[in-house]
DNA sequence: CACGTTACCTACGTAACGTAGCTTACGTGC
DNA sequence: GCACGTAAGCTACGTTACGTAGGTAACGTG
């Protein structure tokens, strides 16, 4: 990442800055670094330098490097979940719901492919609060998906619903990875692949869905 | 992880040890730590201490911490891919293939759930050789899956095949995560969920498959 | 039994996390 | 208009852990 790049996405206020503004600025900068270089290769020092403050300020806002990362993931997931819920509102058929939901997801990636790395970068169900928090955030998104699916399959067992929500989220994640490796493919085609696969799988298993 | 635990899985030879033996021992130890604590929280020092050698030996074998991690992932994926190919040999129907393939995957997790963290722990398509290598290893496994699927859909476009292989691998990964969070579920039921979802999705989209 | 090779070691430089303790700007009531 | 609490920021430090330089000692083979 060049400094120029960072400056483009950063509200660049110097000197004393109110807490909420500084926090948003730091999250923007941190997200850039984490997405490009990964967790390990990103240092708090770099983030602070781009924001033109000293390291302790970052720690004051987020407690630790893990805290910074979690805040990035939390924000990205919250934003995506809102976009998702909004996208599927006012759809009636399952087919349309999957299409619109998929479109919402891949639109996020199209606007900023680096978001993928934030949403899915660290994956393991590790011991300790860091890993548990990350898993919880993931499961939160899956719950949103399960709620959406539930509207189309009111009689389905909760386990099946839950499992299919996980399955569909897995399909999205992998197709996202594939798309990043094959960026020439237009979004609509990726969405079609996603919608076709998810719809077939889900419909067959919940026959009373439309 | 207790020392007892490590000693159970470790061929515990002290003093001078031939290269290949030491390497296997270090991989076993490293895999334990990485799976339990994650990449960041694992130190080369700890690995060396359990093996009762000094740190430079670890570097001599794997070059860097990333090298140790990559070697763990490479071994785990190679082993799984062998198990997968063997499991689906001599199956004829797509349905059976997906069932046996899924069973092979979830059997690995049942034998050692920590393997999940090695196979999928670090996920991002990061810049730099580390991230590229990890993505390449993942795509290698997906290629094995695509080859298996191709046998059941000889006329399918390569893009569809590739995409569906990714989708199916995503379903497996997420159901694995779900199973780890819900360990009371018997393996057969997880395999059923996987097989049902994958089969429906794939069959619908490749009508000439059985 | 000499000698190369392989396994291993101690000791160091550097980077980065996280914290302690202090300083300075801002705004609000008297 | 100034005193004072609070919010924003800083320098300096301790600690851990990556990675390397340079050296030692066991093994085996002619």
């Amino acid at each position: 990442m060049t400094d120029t790049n960072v400056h483009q996405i950063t509200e660049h206020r110097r000197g004393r800055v109110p807490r909420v503004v500084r926090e948003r600025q730091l999250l923007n900068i941190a997200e850039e670094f984490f997405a490009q270089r990964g967790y390990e290769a990103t240092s708090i020092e770099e983030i602070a330098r781009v924001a033109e403050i000293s390291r302790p300020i970052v720690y004051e806002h987020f407690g630790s490097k893990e805290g910074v990362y979690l805040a990035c993931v939390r924000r990205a997931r919250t934003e995506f979940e809102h976009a998702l819920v909004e996208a599927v509102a006012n759809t009636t058929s399952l087919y349309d719901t999957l299409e619109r939901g998929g479109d919402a997801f891949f639109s996020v990636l199209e606007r900023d492919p680096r978001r993928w790395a934030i949403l899915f970068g660290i994956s393991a169900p590790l011991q300790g609060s860091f890993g548990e928090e990350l898993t919880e955030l993931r499961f939160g998104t899956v719950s949103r998906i399960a709620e959406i699916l539930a509207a189309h399959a009111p009689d389905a067992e909760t386990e099946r619903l839950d499992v299919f929500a996980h399955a569909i989220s897995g399909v999205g994640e992998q197709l996202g990875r594939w798309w990043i490796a094959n960026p020439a493919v237009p979004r609509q085609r990726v969405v079609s692949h996603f919608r076709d696969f998810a719809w077939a799988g889900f419909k067959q298993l919940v026959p009373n869905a439309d």
Side-chain angles (χ1 to χ4, degrees), chain A:
Chain A
M1 168 167 23
T2 63
D3 267 18
T4 314
N5 242 337
V6 170
H7 288 192
Q8 281 168 2
I9 62 142
T10 303
E11 329 164 38
H12 224 232
R13 298 179 54 175
R14 306 182 55 172
R16 282 172 74 96
V17 165
R19 197 174 173 81
V20 282
V21 177
R22 186 63 86 195
E23 193 158 312
R24 202 172 41 233
Q25 180 205 21
L26 290 174
L27 280 182
N28 289 341
I29 296 168
E31 187 176 300
E32 278 286 310
F33 277 108
F34 284 136
Q36 285 222 336
R37 305 193 181 172
Y39 182 79
E40 246 254 333
T42 298
S43 76
I44 299 291
E45 171 67 35
E46 286 174 306
I47 295 168
R49 197 178 332 162
V50 173
E52 296 183 274
I53 54 173
S54 65
R55 272 183 303 125
I57 302 302
V58 182
Y59 286 99
E60 208 170 87
H61 278 268
F62 303 104
S64 65
K65 187 177 176 183
E66 294 185 346
V68 179
Y69 191 80
L70 280 170
C72 288
V73 177
R74 199 173 293 121
R75 185 178 69 162
R77 287 201 170 266
T78 304
E79 281 179 24
F80 166 61
E81 286 169 23
H82 278 86
L84 177 65
V85 168
E86 192 172 345
V88 302
N90 306 321
T91 58
T92 52
S93 75
L94 172 61
Y95 189 86
D96 285 355
T97 300
L98 289 171
E99 161 111 15
R100 302 259 189 105
D103 193 68
F105 174 64
F106 293 108
S107 290
V108 168
L109 296 194
E110 187 166 58
R111 200 173 316 120
D112 181 8
R114 298 191 192 97
R115 267 277 155 114
W116 194 96
I118 300 297
L119 291 169
F120 305 114
I122 298 184
S123 183
L126 307 167
Q127 301 189 136
S129 62
F130 184 49
E132 282 164 23
E133 272 270 9
L134 282 174
T135 300
E136 212 168 292
L137 288 170
R138 272 176 178 268
F139 282 15
T141 304
V142 174
S143 293
R144 296 294 89 67
I145 297 172
E147 288 159 13
I148 292 166
L149 294 180
H152 294 274
D155 301 332
E157 304 166 50
T158 55
E159 179 175 305
R160 291 219 123 181
L161 251 158
D162 203 29
V163 164
F164 295 163
H166 276 269
I168 285 174
S169 89
V171 173
E173 178 174 338
Q174 289 317 305
L175 293 203
R177 190 199 301 277
W178 172 83
W179 195 24
I180 288 168
N182 298 272
V185 177
R187 185 181 83 237
Q188 185 46 56
R189 199 153 91 230
V190 185
V191 174
S192 301
H193 289 315
F194 170 81
R195 176 246 292 142
D196 289 348
F197 193 89
W199 182 73
F202 193 67
K203 179 185 163 132
Q204 164 119 352
L205 297 161
V206 186
N208 54 331
D210 42 294

